[in-house]
Amino acid sequence: MNTSYRLHFAPDNASLIIRLALEELAQPYETVLVHRQARAHKSPDYLRLNPQGLIPVLETPDGPLFETGAILLWLADRHRALAPQVGDPQRGAFLKWLFFTSNTVHTALRMNFYPDQYIGPDPNRQEELRHHMQKALSGHLSVLNTMAAEHPSWLGATQPSVLDFYLACLMRWMVLYPEGGSDWYDIGKWPLLREMAARLEACDSVQSAIHAEGLGATPFTAPQYARPPEGSAT
């Protein structure tokens, strides 16, 4: 199979978002497993692809790309699908919410997962940061639920966008991580986002990812911990 893309991935990591976009675009691609437990993402070879040592990296004809939002936008523009294109009146609104999801929602999620990386080793301060981030995430989802009503052509539409895939994966991880710390999350609070998540689960692209990464039958509406056929999600 001829392919222009190589996706460096770990199961149920941010690389899942890129896998979903590639599958929805019906683009052939190779995968390279990054062994997180062996800290392969901090190896010299990987750091040459992404100096930040984060997953994912997508190797392309234009060179290696990193940063999830940047990869999604590059793919959508290159293949003229899964996002409003240049010249579309909806382009500006789409971009601001894609970047909001990448820069604000995803960052808040990381702070909820890894408070020690932001606040230090004090468990009390970590818990305080987590509480603040969970409150912020709930507010962000409420805003995005409203946006789904205002922009139904690219958020929660019948034909998914890269923003749908990005947001659905973040919602999945809000339930699962940190383990035992998702009492704040109730998908029923955001009915349009719940509808989007359920609709995505029926897509062929999501079914392929479920098989490839062991995500379970309802990865977005009722997430379970991944049981990948190769590699580890942690």
Side-chain angles (χ1 to χ4, degrees), residues 80-206:
R80 300 188 61 79
L82 305 188
Q85 297 301 298
V86 174
D88 188 320
Q90 291 291 316
R91 172 81 169 185
F94 174 82
L95 289 178
K96 71 183 180 184
W97 291 109
L98 176 63
F99 278 73
F100 172 77
T101 299
S102 178
N103 295 348
T104 302
V105 184
H106 200 166
T107 298
L109 193 64
R110 283 188 55 83
M111 294 175 76
N112 186 46
F113 292 172
Y114 309 116
D116 57 304
Q117 296 181 11
Y118 297 89
I119 208 73
D122 186 323
N124 292 326
R125 296 188 68 201
Q126 289 180 19
E127 187 59 30
E128 182 179 351
L129 178 61
R130 277 201 168 117
H131 176 75
H132 180 70
M133 288 301 102
Q134 289 164 8
K135 184 177 180 180
L137 286 165
S138 183
H140 298 335
L141 291 178
S142 294
V143 169
L144 286 162
N145 190 75
T146 299
M147 289 305 101
E150 296 180 3
H151 299 285
S153 63
W154 48 259
L155 181 54
T158 301
Q159 173 60 44
S161 71
V162 292
L163 179 55
D164 290 327
F165 289 127
Y166 201 159
L167 183 56
C169 288
L170 296 184
M171 292 169 66
R172 166 182 173 79
W173 298 323
M174 290 176 196
V175 177
L176 298 178
Y177 306 106
E179 189 170 357
S182 62
D183 290 346
W184 64 273
Y185 182 92
D186 177 4
I187 196 171
K189 295 178 181 177
W190 310 289
L192 294 182
L193 299 185
R194 179 181 58 193
E195 290 175 15
M196 175 202 72
R199 190 177 297 116
L200 289 179
E201 289 173 345
C203 292
D204 290 343
S205 54
V206 176

Side-chain angles (χ1 to χ4, degrees), residues 47-78:
L47 292 174
R48 278 190 283 271
L49 297 172
N50 182 354
Q52 301 304 311
L54 299 174
I55 301 167
V57 166
L58 182 68
E59 293 189 70
T60 80
D62 293 348
L65 300 179
F66 54 87
E67 293 295 329
T68 302
I71 299 171
L72 291 174
L73 183 55
W74 186 90
L75 286 170
D77 285 354
R78 180 180 178 88

